[in-house]
Structures are given as C-alpha cells and as structure tokens.
C-alpha cells in the first residue's frame, strides 16, 4: 500500500529559529515528491517539486532534500517567520500524472 | 493570471441528495484533478482528467464521478450523499499530466446533514 508518513505531527518554534520536517514514503512507482504549505481554510500551495534525480531544491527560505534510495525527504525552514505557521504536507506522485499520495502533514506554529 | 476557481465555496446538503461541484482551471492548463480533505483521512486523491478523459482514479465508490469539458473546466458529482462525505473538496490544475506543478483552488466546503 502506498504510504507517506510525516514527522513530527506538530511543532512549535520561536520566530527566527530554523526547523526541519521529515517525510518517509513507500510509494511505487515513484514519479516525484512535492512539499506543500496549507494555511487553515485554504488550498495547498506548492513549495517544491523534485524528481528522483534531484537531491535538493530551494524556494526562498525553504529547502527540500530527497534521498530516493532510503525514500526519505526533508523540508528545512530557515529563519522562521510568523507567516510560516501552517500545515506542511509531503506528497508523492505515483507513476506519473497527478495521482498524489498525501502525508498527514506537520502542523507548524511559529511564536514570538 | 487568474488562479483555480472553485464554486461554490460552501454548500450544505441533506443525506441522500446529490451535489455538483465546479472547477475552472488556470487558463492553458489541461489537467484537472480532484481531492477530498477530511480531518480524519487527510487529503485523498479522487480522480484526474486530461483532455476530457479520466486518466487516473482513486479508491472512492462509484457515487463519486466527474467530467471535463472541452474548455478544461471540470465538474465533480456526488450522488446519494452520506454524512461521511462532509469534507473540503479541492481541485488542482496542471499544465500537463506528467511531473508538472499542481495549483490548488480554495476548495468547496461540503456539509451533509
């Protein structure tokens, strides 16, 4: 069964600090891995998309890594801001197309 | 450039009724996919349409169906509504079907009473 697991489930950090979110997947066949940010009551917004040949990809203060051998990915957020408070969802695309398998997300809260 | 538009934003229906949700993709995008989001199950893939043809399908009962029109606009229909169908239904559009960015709409919040 295709699964995407994320950890931690929730996280509280102080503004300005860095944090790393983890994603493990057992999805086959693998097409690409995406990280999304979802604010409460809104649709997810894409942060990064990586194919199996890409090890790292950055989008501003967000840096995603992918290890296709161990089937692990991480999302590193640098110098966190209050606006980073959201759910971060790891998503794996199977066998092409947009048949996406979603993780349950990490709920991040950034506090003063 | 307009984003993905979903209508309506909110909907309340009674058990046993049917409902149709609409999604207008970003101009030029030909792929539209649908997802259900609930607190218990998270986001789950429903189906994907490309060039008016269903290309991928998730594990949902036949009560859930969809279609895509020649202008790429898509509709999703749920028949014989159940309480468990209460969820946020999200639509995403992509330029192509393979390895391309998916842009999500704001969703339709469906409540079944």
């Amino acid at each position: 069964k295709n699964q995407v697991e994320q950890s931690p489930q929730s996280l509280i950090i102080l503004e300005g600090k860095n944090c790393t979110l983890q994603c493990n997947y057992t999805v086959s066949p693998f097409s690409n891995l995406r990280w999304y940010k979802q604010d409460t009551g809104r649709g997810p917004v894409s942060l990064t998309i990586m194919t199996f040949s890409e090890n790292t990809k950055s989008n501003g203060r967000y840096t995603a890594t992918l290890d296709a051998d161990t089937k692990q990915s991480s999302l590193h957020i640098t110098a966190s801001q209050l606006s980073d408070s959201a759910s971060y969802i790891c998503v794996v695309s199977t066998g092409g197309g947009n048949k996406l398998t979603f993780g349950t997300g990490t709920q991040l809260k950034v506090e003063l | 450039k307009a984003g993905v538009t979903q209508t309506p934003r909110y909907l309340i229906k009674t058990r046993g009724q049917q409902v149709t949700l609409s999604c207008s993709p970003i101009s030029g995008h030909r792929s539209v996919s649908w997802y259900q989001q609930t607190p218990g199950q998270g986001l789950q893939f429903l189906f994907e349409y490309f060039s008016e043809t269903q290309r991928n399908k998730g594990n949902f009962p036949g009560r859930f169906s969809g279609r895509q029109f020649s202008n790429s606009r898509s509709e999703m229909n749920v028949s014989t509504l159940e309480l468990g169908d209460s969820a946020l239904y999200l639509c995403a559009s992509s330029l192509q079907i393979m390895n391309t960015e998916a842009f999500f709409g704001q969703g339709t919040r469906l409540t079944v009473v």
Side-chain angles (χ1 to χ4, degrees), chain A residues 31-32 34 36 38 41-49 51 89 93 95-104, chain B residues 9 31 33 35 37 43-45 48 56-58 88 90 94 96-106 109:
Chain A
S31 181
N32 58 66
R34 315 167 186 212
Y36 283 90
Q38 185 175 24
R42 304 181 75 86
V45 174
S46 177
L47 296 174
T48 64
I49 176 171
T51 59
I89 306 171
S93 174
N98 288 298
K99 184 172 184 177
L100 307 178
T101 301
F102 294 82
T104 52
Chain B
R9 288 294 310 277
S31 168
S33 46
Y35 306 87
Q37 186 172 31
L43 272 155
Q44 296 183 88
F45 171 79
E48 177 180 24
N56 282 301
K57 190 177 189 304
L88 178 68
L90 290 161
S94 303
Q96 295 292 340
I97 200 167
M98 293 287 292
N99 290 335
T100 55
E101 201 63 73
F103 296 87
F104 284 81
Q106 298 282 49
R109 172 73 63 184

Side-chain angles (χ1 to χ4, degrees), chain A residues 49-62:
Chain A
I49 176 171
M50 292 183 290
T51 59
F52 72 92
S53 60
E54 297 175 290
N55 300 119
T56 184
K57 184 165 277 190
S58 292
N59 178 0
R61 294 181 296 103
Y62 302 100

Side-chain angles (χ1 to χ4, degrees), chain B residues 13 21 38 40 59 105:
Chain B
K13 289 286 188 177
L21 312 181
T38 59
N59 299 319

Side-chain angles (χ1 to χ4, degrees), chain B residues 44-109:
Chain B
Q44 296 183 88
F45 171 79
L46 280 157
F47 30 65
E48 177 180 24
Y49 286 86
F50 183 81
S51 294
E52 302 177 65
T53 302
Q54 188 179 89
R55 301 303 178 116
N56 282 301
K57 190 177 189 304
N59 299 319
F60 278 80
R63 299 186 298 108
F64 292 81
S65 63
R67 60 178 176 169
Q68 186 180 35
F69 302 96
S70 58
N71 62 358
S72 294
R73 189 178 71 84
S74 178
E75 287 182 346
M76 190 192 91
N77 185 77
V78 187
S79 62
T80 320
L81 284 166
E82 301 177 359
L83 295 179
D85 297 333
S86 295
L88 178 68
Y89 289 89
L90 290 161
C91 158
S93 82
S94 303
L95 196 60
Q96 295 292 340
I97 200 167
M98 293 287 292
N99 290 335
T100 55
E101 201 63 73
F103 296 87
F104 284 81
Q106 298 282 49
T108 293
R109 172 73 63 184

